[in-house]
């Protein structure tokens, strides 16, 4: 029987969530949903100095905003509570103990200075720096002597010699690492705090995680973690290491180029579905490049379609999916998203028609405000082109327009037919002056919809000034 798929997102709460780490969360959530499995949230706050409670709160907020709900984790609980590593210390103690009893670990008294000197010597000899093993074979008496000198040891994992660590990476295929290239590594700090390698692997095993998708910066950690799990007799998940997101120039993401927090993107007015549609295609390929609802994103998600090439950030693409998200959002939701300023400007009875009229012309709430002001504001500022178009049409045109409006009101087709007949203008020469006078712009929402939305007094006034 195959195990139900279980994935996790294991952020370290040391900063805001950005496009890069939220993509990791998303891919893991999609993978779980695709397989009808579970998605776990685990907070890896072993770096006590840099971890902040505010970030824990914030990242949960960001995940929920994006609809990436977790079935096990903080706030929702689950069979493996607690889901915050700083609250699992007693559990880790048991596994340190097991390694100790089986002789897989030893206390290391090397000071940071000694370690740095050893690294330097190795580099000078053109050897890859790894722990040289100074404390690997200390006798109990030697250890005791060091303890008496007040030295606090770290705990090192004794990497077995002459082994080949092999695994099939879900993204990168078969991987091989010689254990002899891996120095004995620290799994518990001198202050007793656990190291990432250890708690990350132990928790994945204890929580029954079956698949781990994470950044390729973790690839070299994997053989260490596999050795650890093997020594503990715990099951290992399948790992997949995803290419990192780079800027459009191939360099690291910069602030200007997409290194924006979810918080910032949200404040800018991005809709969660836009981010989901964009990110799920960043380093992953769908059979079709069309807009998808979150459930469809999960259905179509295929691990084999994760690419090895660096995923390039492309703002044009992000904006494209934002436009699509606006296009497909429910009207009430779009209205909410437009915000207070728009709500105050647009009369309640026009809410629906306003949303319908401007939807194709809006990407962000600020665009909605632009049209709210143009349609319902007192003052109308005319763009330069509008002024030229109006002047070219001349007063007679607007006299006829005013008369046609008096006759037909918002019956748009009748109005323009009438205007066409009287002025002889057609096409652009007919619509542009009308649009310019009514909205101050030469492009924008459908004119028929605008005419229906504008208060009659406003229409008359805006046509009359040019007569
Ligand atoms: N806490 C680790 C990080 O944020 C998790 C790495 C992993 O997914 O295994 O990088």
């Amino acid at each position: 029987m195959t195990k139900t798929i279980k994935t996790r997102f294991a952020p370290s709460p040391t900063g805001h969530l950005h496009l890069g780490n939220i993509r990791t969360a998303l891919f893991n959530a999609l993978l779980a949903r695709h397989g009808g499995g579970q998605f776990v949230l685990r907070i890896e706050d072993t770096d006590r100095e840099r971890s902040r409670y505010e970030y824990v709160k914030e990242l949960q907020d960001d995940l929920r905003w994006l609809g990436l709900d977790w079935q096990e984790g903080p706030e929702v609980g689950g069979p493996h509570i607690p889901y915050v590593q700083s609250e699992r210390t007693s559990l880790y103690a048991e596994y340190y103990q097991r390694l100790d009893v089986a002789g897989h670990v030893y206390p290391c008294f090397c000071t940071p200075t000694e370690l740095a000197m050893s690294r330097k010597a190795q580099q000078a000899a053109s050897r890859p720096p790894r722990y040289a093993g100074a404390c690997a074979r200390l006798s109990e008496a030697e250890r005791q002597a060091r303890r008496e000198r007040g030295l606090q040891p770290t705990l090192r994992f004794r990497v077995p010699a002459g082994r080949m660590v092999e695994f099939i990476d879900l993204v990168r295929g078969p991987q091989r690492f010689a254990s002899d290239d891996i120095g004995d590594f620290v799994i518990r700090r001198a202050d007793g705090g656990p190291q990432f390698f250890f708690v990350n692997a132990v928790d994945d095993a204890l929580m029954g995680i079956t698949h781990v998708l994470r950044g390729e910066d973790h690839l070299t950690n994997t053989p260490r973690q596999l050795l650890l799990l093997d020594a503990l007799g715990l099951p290992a998940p399948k790992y997949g290491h995803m290419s990192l997101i780079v800027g459009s120039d191939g360099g690291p993401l910069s602030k200007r180029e997409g290194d924006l927090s979810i918080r910032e993107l949200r404040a800018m007015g991005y809709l969660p579905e836009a981010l989901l549609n964009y990110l799920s295609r960043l380093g992953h390929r769908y059979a079709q490049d069309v807009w998808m609802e979150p459930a469809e994103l999960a259905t179509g998600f295929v691990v084999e379609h994760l690419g090895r090439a660096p995923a390039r950030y492309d703002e044009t693409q992000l904006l494209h999916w934002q436009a699509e998200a606006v296009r497909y959002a429910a009207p009430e939701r779009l209205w909410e998203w437009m915000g207070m300023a728009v709500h105050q400007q647009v009369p309640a009875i026009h809410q629906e028609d306003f949303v319908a009229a401007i939807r194709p012309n809006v990407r962000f709430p600020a665009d909605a405000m632009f049209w709210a002001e143009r349609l319902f504001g007192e003052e109308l500022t005319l763009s330069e082109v509008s002024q030229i178009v109006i002047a070219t049409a001349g007063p007679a045109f607007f006299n006829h327009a005013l008369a046609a409006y008096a006759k037909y009101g918002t019956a748009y087709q009748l109005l323009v037919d009438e205007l066409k007949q009287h002025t002889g203008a057609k096409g652009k020469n007919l619509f542009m002056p009308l649009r310019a006078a009514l909205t101050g712009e030469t492009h924008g929402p459908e004119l028929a919809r605008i005419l229906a939305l504008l208060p009659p007094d406003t229409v008359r006034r805006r046509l009359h000034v040019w007569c």
Side-chain angles (χ1 to χ4, degrees), residues 18-24 26-27 30 171 242-248 253 257-259 265 274-286 289 297 301 305-318 321:
H18 287 234
L19 287 182
N21 36 22
I22 206 73
R23 186 188 60 152
T24 302
L26 171 64
F27 282 10
L30 290 177
V171 182
M242 306 180 296
S243 55
L244 300 181
I245 305 177
V246 296
S248 55
L253 269 193
E257 271 234 317
D259 193 20
L265 291 160
L275 297 186
L276 296 178
N277 267 272
Y278 177 60
L279 288 172
S280 58
R281 289 173 167 91
L282 207 51
H284 173 261
R285 171 171 54 80
Y286 279 104
D289 217 16
L297 290 174
F301 184 82
H305 289 182
L306 287 169
R308 288 192 217 183
R312 273 176 201 260
Y313 172 76
D314 180 351
E315 194 189 14
T316 321
Q317 280 299 312
L318 179 56
W321 293 114

Side-chain angles (χ1 to χ4, degrees), residues 8-14 21 24 28 42-46 85 196 200-201 204 212-215 217-218 221-222 225 239 241:
R8 48 71 167 176
F9 179 45
S12 305
T14 55
N21 36 22
T24 302
N28 281 290
R42 180 174 74 231
I43 307 297
E44 300 209 321
D45 58 346
T46 47
Q85 287 188 327
F196 162 76
N200 179 267
D204 281 343
V212 169
L213 292 177
R214 59 183 180 182
D217 48 331
H218 284 294
N221 294 334
T222 303
Q225 296 191 300
Y239 291 97
H241 294 88

